[in-house]
Amino acid sequence: QVQLVESGGGSVQAGGSLTLSCAASGYGYGNICRGWFRQAPGKEREGVAVMSAGGTYTYYADSVKGRFTISRDNAKNTVTLRMDSLQAEDTAMYYCASTRQGVDGNTCNPLLVKYSYWGQGTQVTVSS
């Protein structure tokens, strides 16, 4: 059974930084897409950043490009989201998610595939 556990959320002032981490267990074999989604009150959940198993494919939402950085350590089964220059608009519940990767990294695109496994979420609040 796949389990994802997030940590690192909190409150920060606009312009500040936070780092989210997600520890995973239970994958077994195979390549895994991993990433972060978020959902703000009254809005649909959106993909923020994802990375393929080998790191050759990354996706960032336009709103976070240049400010957020995703990384992963496959040996430790962790994925991290570094968030800089945070804005009030980044306030949301952030979810770690993963899914089985297809033939190549492009199959991790959150706009094209449905992610299968989800963490409980961690709240990020940015005050202006």
Side-chain angles (χ1 to χ4, degrees), residues 105-121:
N106 293 327
T107 59
C108 298
N109 190 330
L111 301 178
L112 302 178
V113 300
K114 182 177 180 180
Y115 275 59
S116 300
Y117 308 108
W118 295 86
Q120 293 297 309

PDB file of all heavy atoms in Angstrom, residues 105-121:
ATOM      1  N   GLY A 105       9.015  10.021 -19.577  1.00  0.00           N
ATOM      2  CA  GLY A 105       8.695  11.011 -18.564  1.00  0.00           C
ATOM      3  C   GLY A 105       7.511  11.894 -18.882  1.00  0.00           C
ATOM      4  O   GLY A 105       6.867  12.431 -17.975  1.00  0.00           O
ATOM      5  N   ASN A 106       7.222  12.054 -20.178  1.00  0.00           N
ATOM      6  CA  ASN A 106       6.088  12.898 -20.535  1.00  0.00           C
ATOM      7  C   ASN A 106       4.771  12.373 -19.978  1.00  0.00           C
ATOM      8  O   ASN A 106       3.798  13.131 -19.881  1.00  0.00           O
ATOM      9  CB  ASN A 106       5.982  13.018 -22.061  1.00  0.00           C
ATOM     10  CG  ASN A 106       7.151  13.779 -22.641  1.00  0.00           C
ATOM     11  OD1 ASN A 106       7.679  14.694 -22.019  1.00  0.00           O
ATOM     12  ND2 ASN A 106       7.585  13.392 -23.832  1.00  0.00           N
ATOM     13  N   THR A 107       4.754  11.112 -19.626  1.00  0.00           N
ATOM     14  CA  THR A 107       3.531  10.540 -19.064  1.00  0.00           C
ATOM     15  C   THR A 107       3.282  11.019 -17.645  1.00  0.00           C
ATOM     16  O   THR A 107       2.296  10.624 -17.026  1.00  0.00           O
ATOM     17  CB  THR A 107       3.580   9.013 -19.083  1.00  0.00           C
ATOM     18  OG1 THR A 107       4.710   8.574 -18.313  1.00  0.00           O
ATOM     19  CG2 THR A 107       3.720   8.488 -20.501  1.00  0.00           C
ATOM     20  N   CYS A 108       4.154  11.862 -17.113  1.00  0.00           N
ATOM     21  CA  CYS A 108       3.954  12.431 -15.788  1.00  0.00           C
ATOM     22  C   CYS A 108       3.202  13.763 -15.837  1.00  0.00           C
ATOM     23  O   CYS A 108       2.891  14.323 -14.779  1.00  0.00           O
ATOM     24  CB  CYS A 108       5.295  12.656 -15.100  1.00  0.00           C
ATOM     25  SG  CYS A 108       6.249  11.149 -14.814  1.00  0.00           S
ATOM     26  N   ASN A 109       2.934  14.263 -17.024  1.00  0.00           N
ATOM     27  CA  ASN A 109       2.284  15.557 -17.162  1.00  0.00           C
ATOM     28  C   ASN A 109       0.948  15.585 -16.426  1.00  0.00           C
ATOM     29  O   ASN A 109       0.028  14.847 -16.786  1.00  0.00           O
ATOM     30  CB  ASN A 109       2.066  15.862 -18.651  1.00  0.00           C
ATOM     31  CG  ASN A 109       1.611  17.271 -18.900  1.00  0.00           C
ATOM     32  OD1 ASN A 109       0.945  17.881 -18.067  1.00  0.00           O
ATOM     33  ND2 ASN A 109       1.938  17.807 -20.052  1.00  0.00           N
ATOM     34  N   PRO A 110       0.801  16.450 -15.416  1.00  0.00           N
ATOM     35  CA  PRO A 110      -0.434  16.435 -14.625  1.00  0.00           C
ATOM     36  C   PRO A 110      -1.640  16.944 -15.397  1.00  0.00           C
ATOM     37  O   PRO A 110      -2.785  16.794 -14.943  1.00  0.00           O
ATOM     38  CB  PRO A 110      -0.105  17.360 -13.453  1.00  0.00           C
ATOM     39  CG  PRO A 110       0.921  18.275 -13.996  1.00  0.00           C
ATOM     40  CD  PRO A 110       1.746  17.439 -14.924  1.00  0.00           C
ATOM     41  N   LEU A 111      -1.404  17.564 -16.541  1.00  0.00           N
ATOM     42  CA  LEU A 111      -2.515  18.014 -17.382  1.00  0.00           C
ATOM     43  C   LEU A 111      -3.077  16.872 -18.218  1.00  0.00           C
ATOM     44  O   LEU A 111      -4.173  16.995 -18.782  1.00  0.00           O
ATOM     45  CB  LEU A 111      -2.055  19.143 -18.304  1.00  0.00           C
ATOM     46  CG  LEU A 111      -1.510  20.389 -17.620  1.00  0.00           C
ATOM     47  CD1 LEU A 111      -1.056  21.410 -18.657  1.00  0.00           C
ATOM     48  CD2 LEU A 111      -2.546  21.009 -16.695  1.00  0.00           C
ATOM     49  N   LEU A 112      -2.315  15.765 -18.308  1.00  0.00           N
ATOM     50  CA  LEU A 112      -2.719  14.665 -19.182  1.00  0.00           C
ATOM     51  C   LEU A 112      -3.059  13.388 -18.431  1.00  0.00           C
ATOM     52  O   LEU A 112      -3.782  12.545 -18.976  1.00  0.00           O
ATOM     53  CB  LEU A 112      -1.601  14.377 -20.189  1.00  0.00           C
ATOM     54  CG  LEU A 112      -1.185  15.534 -21.082  1.00  0.00           C
ATOM     55  CD1 LEU A 112      -0.035  15.118 -21.991  1.00  0.00           C
ATOM     56  CD2 LEU A 112      -2.367  16.023 -21.901  1.00  0.00           C
ATOM     57  N   VAL A 113      -2.503  13.217 -17.242  1.00  0.00           N
ATOM     58  CA  VAL A 113      -2.721  11.965 -16.523  1.00  0.00           C
ATOM     59  C   VAL A 113      -3.296  12.237 -15.152  1.00  0.00           C
ATOM     60  O   VAL A 113      -3.078  13.288 -14.559  1.00  0.00           O
ATOM     61  CB  VAL A 113      -1.408  11.162 -16.403  1.00  0.00           C
ATOM     62  CG1 VAL A 113      -0.855  10.836 -17.773  1.00  0.00           C
ATOM     63  CG2 VAL A 113      -0.399  11.909 -15.581  1.00  0.00           C
ATOM     64  N   LYS A 114      -4.005  11.254 -14.654  1.00  0.00           N
ATOM     65  CA  LYS A 114      -4.591  11.335 -13.326  1.00  0.00           C
ATOM     66  C   LYS A 114      -3.636  10.666 -12.348  1.00  0.00           C
ATOM     67  O   LYS A 114      -3.210   9.524 -12.553  1.00  0.00           O
ATOM     68  CB  LYS A 114      -5.938  10.634 -13.294  1.00  0.00           C
ATOM     69  CG  LYS A 114      -6.648  10.719 -11.962  1.00  0.00           C
ATOM     70  CD  LYS A 114      -8.017  10.050 -12.054  1.00  0.00           C
ATOM     71  CE  LYS A 114      -8.744  10.117 -10.729  1.00  0.00           C
ATOM     72  NZ  LYS A 114     -10.079   9.473 -10.809  1.00  0.00           N
ATOM     73  N   TYR A 115      -3.297  11.368 -11.294  1.00  0.00           N
ATOM     74  CA  TYR A 115      -2.399  10.815 -10.290  1.00  0.00           C
ATOM     75  C   TYR A 115      -3.173   9.911  -9.331  1.00  0.00           C
ATOM     76  O   TYR A 115      -4.296  10.236  -8.922  1.00  0.00           O
ATOM     77  CB  TYR A 115      -1.687  11.945  -9.548  1.00  0.00           C
ATOM     78  CG  TYR A 115      -0.456  12.399 -10.284  1.00  0.00           C
ATOM     79  CD1 TYR A 115      -0.541  12.881 -11.598  1.00  0.00           C
ATOM     80  CD2 TYR A 115       0.803  12.329  -9.718  1.00  0.00           C
ATOM     81  CE1 TYR A 115       0.578  13.274 -12.298  1.00  0.00           C
ATOM     82  CE2 TYR A 115       1.940  12.729 -10.404  1.00  0.00           C
ATOM     83  CZ  TYR A 115       1.820  13.184 -11.706  1.00  0.00           C
ATOM     84  OH  TYR A 115       2.946  13.555 -12.392  1.00  0.00           O
ATOM     85  N   SER A 116      -2.530   8.781  -8.986  1.00  0.00           N
ATOM     86  CA  SER A 116      -3.244   7.734  -8.270  1.00  0.00           C
ATOM     87  C   SER A 116      -3.125   7.808  -6.759  1.00  0.00           C
ATOM     88  O   SER A 116      -4.026   7.369  -6.045  1.00  0.00           O
ATOM     89  CB  SER A 116      -2.711   6.366  -8.724  1.00  0.00           C
ATOM     90  OG  SER A 116      -2.902   6.185 -10.117  1.00  0.00           O
ATOM     91  N   TYR A 117      -2.003   8.292  -6.291  1.00  0.00           N
ATOM     92  CA  TYR A 117      -1.730   8.250  -4.859  1.00  0.00           C
ATOM     93  C   TYR A 117      -1.562   9.667  -4.308  1.00  0.00           C
ATOM     94  O   TYR A 117      -0.904  10.501  -4.932  1.00  0.00           O
ATOM     95  CB  TYR A 117      -0.459   7.433  -4.595  1.00  0.00           C
ATOM     96  CG  TYR A 117      -0.484   6.075  -5.241  1.00  0.00           C
ATOM     97  CD1 TYR A 117       0.314   5.806  -6.348  1.00  0.00           C
ATOM     98  CD2 TYR A 117      -1.315   5.069  -4.766  1.00  0.00           C
ATOM     99  CE1 TYR A 117       0.287   4.562  -6.962  1.00  0.00           C
ATOM    100  CE2 TYR A 117      -1.350   3.829  -5.361  1.00  0.00           C
ATOM    101  CZ  TYR A 117      -0.549   3.578  -6.462  1.00  0.00           C
ATOM    102  OH  TYR A 117      -0.586   2.344  -7.059  1.00  0.00           O
ATOM    103  N   TRP A 118      -2.122   9.865  -3.130  1.00  0.00           N
ATOM    104  CA  TRP A 118      -2.163  11.213  -2.564  1.00  0.00           C
ATOM    105  C   TRP A 118      -1.828  11.207  -1.082  1.00  0.00           C
ATOM    106  O   TRP A 118      -2.200  10.274  -0.356  1.00  0.00           O
ATOM    107  CB  TRP A 118      -3.556  11.808  -2.741  1.00  0.00           C
ATOM    108  CG  TRP A 118      -3.905  12.013  -4.170  1.00  0.00           C
ATOM    109  CD1 TRP A 118      -4.463  11.092  -5.015  1.00  0.00           C
ATOM    110  CD2 TRP A 118      -3.675  13.196  -4.935  1.00  0.00           C
ATOM    111  NE1 TRP A 118      -4.603  11.644  -6.273  1.00  0.00           N
ATOM    112  CE2 TRP A 118      -4.130  12.928  -6.244  1.00  0.00           C
ATOM    113  CE3 TRP A 118      -3.140  14.446  -4.657  1.00  0.00           C
ATOM    114  CZ2 TRP A 118      -4.061  13.880  -7.270  1.00  0.00           C
ATOM    115  CZ3 TRP A 118      -3.088  15.382  -5.668  1.00  0.00           C
ATOM    116  CH2 TRP A 118      -3.537  15.104  -6.956  1.00  0.00           C
ATOM    117  N   GLY A 119      -1.132  12.265  -0.663  1.00  0.00           N
ATOM    118  CA  GLY A 119      -0.922  12.479   0.750  1.00  0.00           C
ATOM    119  C   GLY A 119      -2.109  13.200   1.361  1.00  0.00           C
ATOM    120  O   GLY A 119      -3.081  13.535   0.671  1.00  0.00           O
ATOM    121  N   GLN A 120      -2.016  13.457   2.635  1.00  0.00           N
ATOM    122  CA  GLN A 120      -3.099  14.109   3.377  1.00  0.00           C
ATOM    123  C   GLN A 120      -3.115  15.623   3.171  1.00  0.00           C
ATOM    124  O   GLN A 120      -4.141  16.270   3.401  1.00  0.00           O
ATOM    125  CB  GLN A 120      -2.976  13.801   4.859  1.00  0.00           C
ATOM    126  CG  GLN A 120      -3.210  12.336   5.187  1.00  0.00           C
ATOM    127  CD  GLN A 120      -4.610  11.899   4.830  1.00  0.00           C
ATOM    128  OE1 GLN A 120      -5.598  12.526   5.197  1.00  0.00           O
ATOM    129  NE2 GLN A 120      -4.731  10.806   4.079  1.00  0.00           N
ATOM    130  N   GLY A 121      -2.000  16.164   2.747  1.00  0.00           N
ATOM    131  CA  GLY A 121      -1.940  17.601   2.496  1.00  0.00           C
ATOM    132  C   GLY A 121      -1.272  18.358   3.626  1.00  0.00           C
ATOM    133  O   GLY A 121      -1.308  17.936   4.786  1.00  0.00           O
TER     134      GLY A 121
END
